[in-house]
């Protein structure tokens, strides 16, 4: 049995929120999953309560692991370590700071290792590290997703360097799951510090956190006492981490189960090969079927302020979408969005530029111009797609990569180059669609695909018409002339082979009818991924490399080798 505290038996009928001090009726507080109505503070849950909250009722079954009393140093401070362990067992009803179960979340199988802060502050000792590792090995053996729920003050000092070794051991276990393509998710709860934060908690595919949950390597007290550094407000909270691209999302407790259920469906994804074609509107593959048009008119429509953005299209087109954030290094670039979506039950990783609507949102999203963090976020999501074995669809709509000082300091060129190389190696189907502007390397960083399509009013170019005019005409006012010379419109792109097909838009442009545009895109994507799914990984990589190898192939000819001169 997994012990669960019974709140109904609490002596006090009222519970005081430790955050704002508000009194709450205890039974209602329990029904609301220990979340304060007034300030939103998420009170700590025991491991048993956490399992009951997240897993389907009656599905949790303890894994057959038993922890002994492990005292390698015969350590004693004011109390012998062995006595501390025995006391923790008596007060919590647990054998260790980690409870391991197998069960289901919304019908999807999962192995979960759940930490309990009451047991010696959730410290990571040899037994706790072994339990996490055994849970990971069970997930590996069964090819079932692993869920890690963390709550820890750090490594267990009473075990010396052996506790330190648990960081490496648990990290190895996560690496084995990566190699096997098994989905891993961590849920950060308050607090998660030290050796747990610096090992398995940070190494999963997706990192979720509860509001206000704190995570870091060194705790605030250690930082203040060691280097006397003043800490900013909200330091190390989930919100602080999210703003710096270190976690995927912050989810209130009541929403966690649904989010986890959607993610766990990636365990055995439905293939697009199993989905019958949707009879999509015919793609235009012959440039002669497209009217000749003024290039500047195409530029103007591609930039139309009400043209559907990537998020507009995703939320209109997909059956469900879970957005993931951050480059796991420094930032979450708002000019690039992405996550996991579903089409007819089949999952797909989607990534795209996001310009936004209205002056404030467009400025906040940097007008769709990605920073290095945006490229790294896109790359991280594409690597997850490769691990999970699901297709990638990218939506291109950017004037170009952000050209500022900060971007150059962050390695803008390197970030783009790494995406070009990465996309050349992905062993899953990749489809790229130019939905608006395709500007320079910022566009191509999402455009190395097996199939590249463009909306009929989209444009694609090595540089913006204004930039080209300023450099070659010495006059930015010559932008329309530059656009014509660059042949940026869909008809010319199709004729040059830059794109494989043109997707028709509603009369007047995609902004006239979002629903019709989204339905057309949905059908095109399903049909295309249906076709590409007949190829295996090496074939997809070979086809993609052959596609881009052909550009400019006729512009040069090999010289005769010495000894074979005419």
């Amino acid at each position: 049995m997994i012990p669960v505290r019974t709140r109904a038996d609490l002596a006090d009928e009222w519970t005081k929120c430790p955050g704002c001090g508000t009194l709450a009726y205890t039974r209602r507080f329990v029904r609301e999953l220990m979340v304060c109505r007034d300030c939103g503070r998420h009170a700590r849950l025991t491991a048993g309560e956490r399992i009951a909250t997240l897993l389907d009722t009656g599905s949790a079954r303890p894994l057959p692991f038993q922890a002994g009393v492990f005292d390698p140093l015969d350590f004693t401070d004011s109390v012998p370590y062995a006595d501390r362990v025995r006391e923790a067992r008596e007060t919590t009803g647990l054998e260790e700071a980690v409870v391991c179960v197998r069960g289901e979340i919304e019908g999807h199988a999962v192995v979960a290792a759940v930490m309990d802060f009451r047991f010696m502050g959730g410290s990571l000792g040899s037994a706790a590290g072994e339990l996490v590792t055994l849970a990971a090995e069970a997930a590996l053996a069964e090819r079932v997703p692993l869920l890690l729920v963390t709550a820890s003050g750090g490594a267990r000092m009473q075990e010396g360097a052996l506790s330190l070794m648990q960081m490496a051991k648990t990290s190895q276990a996560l690496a084995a799951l990566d190699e096997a393509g098994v989905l891993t998710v961590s849920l950060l709860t308050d607090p998660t510090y030290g050796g747990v934060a610096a090992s398995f908690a940070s190494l999963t595919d997706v990192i979720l956190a509860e509001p206000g949950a704190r995570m870091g390597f060194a705790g605030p007290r250690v930082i203040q006492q060691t280097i006397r550094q003043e800490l900013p407000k909200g330091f190390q909270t989930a919100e602080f981490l999210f703003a710096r691209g270190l976690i995927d999302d912050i989810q209130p407790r009541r929403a966690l189960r649904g989010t986890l259920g959607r993610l766990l469906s990636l365990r055995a994804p439905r293939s697009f090969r199993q989905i019958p074609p949707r009879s999509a509107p015919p793609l235009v593959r012959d440039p002669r079927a497209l009217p000749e048009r003024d290039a500047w008119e195409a530029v103007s429509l591609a930039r139309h302020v009400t043209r559907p953005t990537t998020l507009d299209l995703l939320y209109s087109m997909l059956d469900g979408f879970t957005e993931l954030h951050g480059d796991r290094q420094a930032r979450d670039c708002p000019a690039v969005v992405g996550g996991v979506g579903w089409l007819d039950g089949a999952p797909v990783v989607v990534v795209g530029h996001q310009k936004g609507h209205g002056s404030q949102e467009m400025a906040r999203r940097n007008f769709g111009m990605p920073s290095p963090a945006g490229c790294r976020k896109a790359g991280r999501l594409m690597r997850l797609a490769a691990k999970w074995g699901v297709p990638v669809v990218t939506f291109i709509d950017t004037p170009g990569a952000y050209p500022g000082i900060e971007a150059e300091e962050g390695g803008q060129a390197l970030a783009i180059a790494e995406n070009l190389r990465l996309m050349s190696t992905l062993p899953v189907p990749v489809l790229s669609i130019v939905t608006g502007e395709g500007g320079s390397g910022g566009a191509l960083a999402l455009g190395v695909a097996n199939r590249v399509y463009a909306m009929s009013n989209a444009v694609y170019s090595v540089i913006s018409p204004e930039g080209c005019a300023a450099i070659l005409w010495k006059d930015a006012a010559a932008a329309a002339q530059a656009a014509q010379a660059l042949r940026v419109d869909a008809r010319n792109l199709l004729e040059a082979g830059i794109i494989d097909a043109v997707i028709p838009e509603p009369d007047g442009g995609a902004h006239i009818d979002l629903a019709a545009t989204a339905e057309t895109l949905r059908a095109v994507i399903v049909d295309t991924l249906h076709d590409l799914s007949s190829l295996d990984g090496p074939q997809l990589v070979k086809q993609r490399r052959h596609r881009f190898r052909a550009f400019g192939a006729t512009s040069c000819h090999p010289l005769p080798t010495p000894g074979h001169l005419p």
Side-chain angles (χ1 to χ4, degrees):
M1 286 289 293
I2 303 166
V4 178
R5 289 183 294 181
T6 56
R7 304 284 182 176
D9 295 332
L10 289 177
D12 295 329
E13 191 175 355
W14 297 88
T15 297
K16 185 177 181 179
C17 172
C20 65
T22 300
L23 289 176
Y25 184 52
T26 299
R27 291 180 183 272
R28 187 177 70 186
F29 191 50
V30 173
R31 287 197 301 271
E32 293 175 351
L33 306 181
M34 311 291 290
V35 178
C36 178
R37 275 193 172 188
D38 287 0
C39 71
R41 183 185 176 103
H42 285 51
R44 288 177 188 160
L45 297 181
T46 68
E49 289 164 345
R50 183 71 63 179
I51 290 167
T53 299
L54 293 177
L55 271 64
D56 295 350
T57 302
S59 72
R61 302 177 303 283
L63 292 175
F65 308 147
Q66 186 170 7
V69 178
F70 186 66
D71 186 10
L73 305 182
D74 195 21
F75 192 96
T76 300
D77 43 46
S78 59
V79 177
Y81 172 48
D83 290 348
R84 288 193 185 278
V85 173
R86 279 190 284 269
E87 181 184 359
R89 288 180 170 180
E90 290 173 1
T91 57
T92 64
L94 304 175
E95 289 188 349
E96 248 300 335
V98 180
V99 176
C100 301
V101 300
R102 61 165 56 87
E104 295 180 350
I105 298 178
E106 295 198 336
H108 301 291
V110 66
V111 170
V114 183
M115 304 192 77
D116 195 314
F117 193 79
R118 297 174 305 151
F119 195 105
M120 298 188 67
S123 52
L124 179 63
S126 298
E130 183 68 12
L131 289 170
V132 170
T133 302
L134 287 169
E137 289 172 347
L140 178 63
E142 300 170 24
R143 293 299 194 270
V144 169
L146 176 68
L147 170 64
L148 302 169
V149 183
T150 62
S152 175
R156 193 169 296 178
M157 294 175 287
Q158 295 91 335
E159 294 185 16
L162 279 169
S163 64
L164 190 67
M165 297 303 108
Q166 305 311 308
M167 296 169 61
K169 181 171 76 176
T170 55
S171 298
Q172 284 184 170
L174 268 292
L177 292 172
D178 286 339
E179 293 164 359
V182 176
L183 171 69
T184 57
V185 181
S186 58
L187 169 58
L188 309 180
T189 74
D190 188 60
T192 298
Y193 277 111
V196 171
S199 59
F200 57 90
S202 297
L203 295 177
T204 54
D205 299 337
V206 179
I207 301 177
L208 304 176
E210 289 190 330
R214 294 166 295 164
M215 173 179 162
F217 183 57
R221 189 189 313 167
V222 173
I223 296 171
Q224 290 169 331
Q225 292 180 356
T226 304
I227 61 175
R228 311 295 184 197
Q229 196 171 38
E230 187 175 343
L231 304 180
K233 186 178 180 181
F235 182 65
Q236 294 182 325
T237 62
E239 293 75 13
F240 181 91
L241 300 170
F242 182 78
R244 286 154 182 81
L246 300 176
I247 62 176
D248 284 289
D249 206 0
I250 302 170
Q251 293 269 323
R253 192 166 285 166
R254 198 168 287 281
L256 281 168
R257 192 164 171 274
T259 298
L260 290 171
R262 288 191 296 274
L263 290 171
L264 295 183
S265 71
L266 292 167
R267 176 202 175 191
R270 185 185 187 194
S271 169
F272 278 91
R273 194 66 183 163
Q274 300 171 279
I275 302 175
R278 278 181 154 264
S279 301
L283 293 169
V284 180
R285 301 183 185 276
D286 184 352
R288 294 170 297 181
L290 295 170
E292 293 190 16
R293 61 187 307 188
D294 177 73
W296 189 248
E297 177 190 355
V299 171
S300 299
L301 281 172
R303 294 174 174 174
H304 199 285
V305 292
T306 60
R307 191 168 180 84
T309 66
T310 292
L311 288 178
D312 291 335
L313 295 171
L314 294 183
Y315 284 114
S316 299
M317 177 185 70
L318 299 173
D319 302 323
F321 175 59
T322 297
E323 186 174 357
L324 304 177
H325 298 82
D327 66 351
R328 294 278 179 94
Q329 292 186 39
R331 284 191 60 196
D332 179 41
C333 175
V336 175
V337 296
V340 185
W342 285 263
L343 287 167
D344 293 347
V348 58
V349 167
V350 289
V351 184
H353 301 105
Q354 177 69 12
K355 287 183 175 178
H357 295 298
S359 56
Q360 287 189 343
E361 186 191 2
M362 293 178 74
R364 181 174 66 83
R365 293 192 180 274
N366 212 22
F367 301 92
M369 294 185 288
S371 66
C375 290
R376 289 194 293 265
K377 174 165 70 171
R380 182 175 81 84
L381 295 177
M382 287 187 245
R383 281 188 289 271
L384 288 180
K387 173 184 172 178
W388 299 335
V390 302
V392 173
V393 177
T394 69
F395 297 88
I396 296 170
D397 185 17
T398 179
Y402 182 64
I405 296 173
E406 183 182 355
E408 292 301 317
E409 289 177 338
Q412 183 71 281
L414 175 62
I416 293 171
E418 287 182 337
N419 269 24
L420 302 183
R421 178 172 60 184
L422 170 66
M423 295 189 76
S424 297
T425 65
L426 294 173
V428 294
V430 183
L431 167 63
S432 293
I433 301 173
V434 186
T435 60
E437 283 186 277
S440 191
L444 187 61
L446 299 187
V448 182
N450 295 97
R451 304 273 178 85
V452 181
Y453 300 153
M455 303 289 289
S456 56
N457 290 312
V459 295
Y460 202 178
S461 178
V462 67
I463 191 172
S464 69
E466 292 88 347
C468 179
I471 294 170
L472 298 182
W473 275 262
K474 314 299 183 187
D475 182 5
Q481 186 177 352
Q484 200 68 33
L486 288 167
R487 301 187 179 186
V488 299
D489 61 284
R491 187 180 195 274
N492 280 293
L493 294 170
L494 185 59
E495 188 172 27
I498 302 298
I499 58 176
D500 299 301
V502 173
I503 302 172
E505 295 184 32
D507 291 341
H511 60 285
I512 299 297
D513 192 339
L514 171 60
T517 300
E519 184 55 36
T520 297
L521 277 175
R522 178 187 176 99
V524 166
I525 291 170
V526 169
D527 285 4
T528 301
L529 295 182
H530 175 86
D531 291 342
L532 291 175
S533 293
S534 64
L535 303 177
D536 62 20
Q539 290 173 322
L540 289 163
V541 171
K542 182 179 179 180
Q543 187 270 337
R544 199 178 308 132
R545 292 182 178 181
H546 177 76
R547 182 186 189 282
F548 286 87
R549 175 64 181 86
F551 291 120
T554 59
S555 63
C556 299
H557 301 283
L559 291 172
T561 58
H564 294 81
L565 296 174

